């Protein structure tokens, strides 16, 4: 029995580890695609277009033998898909035009703190002292890196950071309001349906804002990068993290996910030639330490 338990723990840790790295690769791929002159609307559409069959299949698989969705369920799924996946992704993609992949990942990593703050604002849930300490430390880390980039790049970095932070808020809203639907529909079914809604929104946005041939004139590298983004950095990590949570629980999976910012910084330096300075190292250490304290407070 212990052998099987150890094997399950090892498998869960591996799934969480590689899922976090795969998620982190999204920013790297987006930055590489921008080098080919593509705009955010077209790039996001391509990513979600290629991801749509995977998420639709996920939703169908999880819906087998389940009760059909009510009208209220569909309204909830549509709202969560719009906020948590479409709007969040769009703001993130636009923001990545102005900030480094490293700063983007550090800002997105503040998501648990935004969930806590929204819970306090919307439901008056109590914030413990350790929560406040963790948030303060992690936000200081982001501000340290942001301040350093502002000194070199100026206002465009501030605008990009604002957009990425707004992306974090919209995804936090998804997490705050998804609790009841997750209990009723199940996490896999809800993710599959909500992301499918987001994919349709991204395609519709492209059709409204861009001529149809805009997707046909992008560089071939953008197509392949979008396929890679859709499969390796979008659909696959969703499944890997969910499988990890089933094996080791959300707390340990979240701790293992702390490798995400580190992997983004390493890939940014190696693949994108982004600078790796003592300021970035110090800011990253503060963010990870703050989120660690924050997560420990949550379990306490």
């Amino acid at each position: 029995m212990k052998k099987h338990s150890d094997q399950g723990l090892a498998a869960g840790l591996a799934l969480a580890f590689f899922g976090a790295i795969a998620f982190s690769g999204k920013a790297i791929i987006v930055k590489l695609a921008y080098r080919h002159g593509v705009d955010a609307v077209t790039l996001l559409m391509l990513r979600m277009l290629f991801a749509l069959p995977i998420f639709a299949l996920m939703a169908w698989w999880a819906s087998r033998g389940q009760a059909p969705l009510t009208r209220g369920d569909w309204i909830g799924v549509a709202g969560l898909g719009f906020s948590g996946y479409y709007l969040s992704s769009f703001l993130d993609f636009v923001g990545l035009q102005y900030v480094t992949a490293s700063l983007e990942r550090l800002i997105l990593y503040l998501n648990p703190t935004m969930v806590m703050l929204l819970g306090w604002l919307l439901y008056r849930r109590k914030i413990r002292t350790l929560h406040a300490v963790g948030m303060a430390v992690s936000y200081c880390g982001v501000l340290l890196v942001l301040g350093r980039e502002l000194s070199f790049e100026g206002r465009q970095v501030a605008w990009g950071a604002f957009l990425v932070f707004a992306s974090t808020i919209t995804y936090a809203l998804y997490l705050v309001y998804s609790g009841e639907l997750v209990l009723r529909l199940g996490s896999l079914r809800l993710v599959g349906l909500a992301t499918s809604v987001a994919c349709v929104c991204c395609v519709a946005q492209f059709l409204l804002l861009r001529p149809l041939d805009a997707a046909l004139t992008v560089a071939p590298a953008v197509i392949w990068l979008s396929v890679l983004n859709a499969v390796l950095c979008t659909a696959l990590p969703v499944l890997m993290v969910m499988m990890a949570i089933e094996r080791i629980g959300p707390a340990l999976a979240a701790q293992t996910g702390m490798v995400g910012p580190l992997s983004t910084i390493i890939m940014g330096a190696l693949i994108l030639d982004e600078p790796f300075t003592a300021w970035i190292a110090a800011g990253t250490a503060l963010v990870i330490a703050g989120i660690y304290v924050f997560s420990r407070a949550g379990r306490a």
Side-chain angles (χ1 to χ4, degrees), residues 20-104:
I21 294 176
F23 267 130
S24 301
K26 178 262 301 177
I28 306 300
I29 291 177
V30 170
K31 298 289 280 188
L32 287 173
Y34 279 147
R35 293 180 177 181
H36 296 277
V38 66
D39 65 277
V41 172
T42 304
L43 185 59
L44 181 60
M45 182 278 297
L46 289 171
R47 175 212 189 190
M48 300 303 257
L49 180 65
F50 292 127
L52 177 57
I54 303 173
F55 286 125
L57 180 62
M58 184 188 301
W60 169 80
W61 179 268
S63 299
R64 294 177 307 143
Q66 303 296 319
L69 270 66
T70 65
R71 182 173 178 271
D73 290 337
W74 278 115
I75 293 174
V77 166
L80 291 174
F82 180 87
S83 170
Y85 291 105
Y86 158 68
L87 186 57
S88 179
S89 296
F90 178 67
L91 292 169
D92 183 40
F93 270 54
V94 178
L96 272 168
Q97 294 179 108
Y98 307 104
V99 300
T100 62
S102 302
L103 179 57
E104 181 255 10

Side-chain angles (χ1 to χ4, degrees), residues 44 82-83 126 146 170 225 239 257 277 300:
L44 181 60
F82 180 87
S83 170
K126 184 178 179 181
L146 176 60
T170 56
L225 286 169
L239 293 174
T277 64

Side-chain angles (χ1 to χ4, degrees), residues 218-273:
V218 297
V222 173
I223 301 296
W224 291 111
L225 286 169
S226 297
V227 172
L228 188 64
N229 198 352
V231 178
L232 184 62
C233 302
T234 304
L236 187 60
V238 167
L239 293 174
M240 293 176 74
V241 171
M242 291 184 67
M243 292 169 64
I245 290 173
E246 288 178 354
R247 287 165 172 79
I248 62 177
L252 189 52
Q255 284 191 26
T256 308
M258 289 181 179
V259 72
L262 295 175
S263 62
T264 302
I265 291 171
I266 293 171
M267 287 188 288
L270 294 177
I271 300 173
L272 301 176
D273 294 323

Side-chain angles (χ1 to χ4, degrees), residues 106-126:
L106 291 180
I107 295 173
L108 291 182
Y109 206 61
L110 298 175
N111 183 261
T113 69
M114 290 307 307
V115 173
M116 174 65 69
L117 288 173
L118 287 172
W120 174 71
L121 287 172
L122 298 173
Y123 304 113
R124 295 302 173 189
R125 293 172 181 164
K126 184 178 179 181

